[in-house]
Amino acid sequence: MHMKKIFSLALLLTTLTASMVSASVQTGSIQKVNLDLKYPLVYTQNQTAQKKINQDIATWVYDSKKGYDTGEFYSVETQYEVTYEDDSVISLELINLSYPAGAAHEWVSYDCIVYNKKTGNRIPLYNYVRIRNADQLENGILSMVLPLYNESDEEVEYDSENWPVERVSQDYLLRGGGTIDLVYQPYELGPFSDGAISIRFSPEAINYFNRMNS
């Protein structure tokens, strides 16, 4: 039943009126009272890959809408950004803003995915940069090899005492020019006011980590 709903939603997403964002991405939307879902519809030259990507995104949309339908959240909004695209890959940031009734502020979560446009598969982080563990990341930040950036793309100072790196996030974004942002949820590496904080890998830092972990 769950997969049937996702498949039905995937078909819906590909037939809704959409506004152009780029040559291969359009914006779909679902709107009701206190529900405003905007999501990407990805078009590729490979129909099988296109279907696979959009069904994966449909699962995310379904999960976002489920909290609204069940009354878990008073209101739900989703947004997205294409952070990089070329003939082979597309990098997407999917943002969910859910507001529980009576909460001090909304709940925000980020899903950052890089797809292979020729196969429709998600590309794992290790295809670009190899990271052994969280300690290695923290050492990279403390040694100033890896800067931190907040949601407004402003560099922030690292507070290792209050916000230690406890895991290697698998949410990452391509930023162009060989740069990769490793994305952490609010409260993981800093206060809620900073939003999602990213550990930024320059091409030189990527080379350094890959040499260490070869």
Side-chain angles (χ1 to χ4, degrees):
M1 185 67 176
H2 177 72
M3 290 305 300
K4 184 177 179 181
K5 286 184 177 179
I6 291 173
F7 180 72
S8 298
L9 184 56
L11 292 177
L12 174 64
L13 301 191
T14 57
T15 57
L16 289 173
T17 301
S19 58
M20 184 62 71
V21 171
S22 72
S24 65
V25 181
Q26 297 179 355
T27 297
S29 65
I30 300 174
Q31 294 181 319
K32 295 183 179 180
V33 177
N34 288 338
L35 180 74
D36 185 7
L37 307 183
K38 291 184 173 61
Y39 45 84
L41 302 173
V42 179
Y43 296 89
T44 72
Q45 294 181 348
N46 185 310
Q47 293 296 310
T48 301
Q50 174 179 305
K51 181 178 179 180
K52 191 172 184 178
I53 291 170
N54 286 319
Q55 284 185 338
D56 193 45
I57 293 170
T59 300
W60 176 79
V61 175
Y62 171 78
D63 287 342
S64 298
K65 188 173 181 293
K66 182 169 61 176
Y68 170 86
D69 290 337
T70 61
E72 179 182 0
F73 297 109
Y74 178 73
S75 64
V76 177
E77 178 183 352
T78 64
Q79 306 167 358
Y80 77 94
E81 180 184 356
V82 179
T83 65
Y84 177 79
E85 183 180 7
D86 60 27
D87 291 340
S88 300
V89 303
I90 183 167
S91 173
L92 298 172
E93 182 176 43
L94 307 176
I95 307 167
N96 178 300
L97 304 97
S98 300
Y99 195 92
H105 55 70
E106 62 196 1
W107 293 0
V108 187
S109 62
Y110 299 78
D111 289 274
C112 304
I113 310 168
V114 179
Y115 289 106
N116 183 320
K117 291 168 64 176
K118 298 179 180 179
T119 66
N121 294 331
R122 294 187 180 209
I123 302 175
L125 175 65
Y126 61 75
N127 277 34
Y128 291 99
V129 57
R130 293 184 289 276
I131 304 166
R132 187 172 300 148
N133 51 42
D135 288 341
Q136 198 173 62
L137 279 175
E138 187 160 71
N139 289 336
I141 298 169
L142 293 172
S143 63
M144 299 184 182
V145 171
L146 302 173
L148 299 182
Y149 284 82
N150 66 16
E151 191 174 322
S152 300
D153 204 33
E154 301 167 334
E155 189 168 356
V156 295
E157 187 175 342
Y158 180 51
D159 182 353
S160 60
E161 183 176 346
N162 292 310
W163 309 102
V165 181
E166 295 185 340
R167 68 184 183 98
V168 178
S169 175
Q170 297 305 303
D171 286 294
Y172 76 98
L173 298 169
L174 305 182
R175 292 293 188 185
T179 298
I180 292 174
D181 278 0
L182 194 60
V183 181
Y184 286 79
Q185 304 297 321
Y187 290 123
E188 282 199 278
L189 295 183
F192 184 82
S193 57
D194 277 327
I197 290 183
S198 299
I199 301 175
R200 183 157 297 174
F201 283 79
S202 66
E204 293 79 13
I206 292 171
N207 176 272
Y208 174 59
F209 270 74
N210 286 344
R211 281 188 283 118
M212 279 196 299
N213 299 314
S214 61

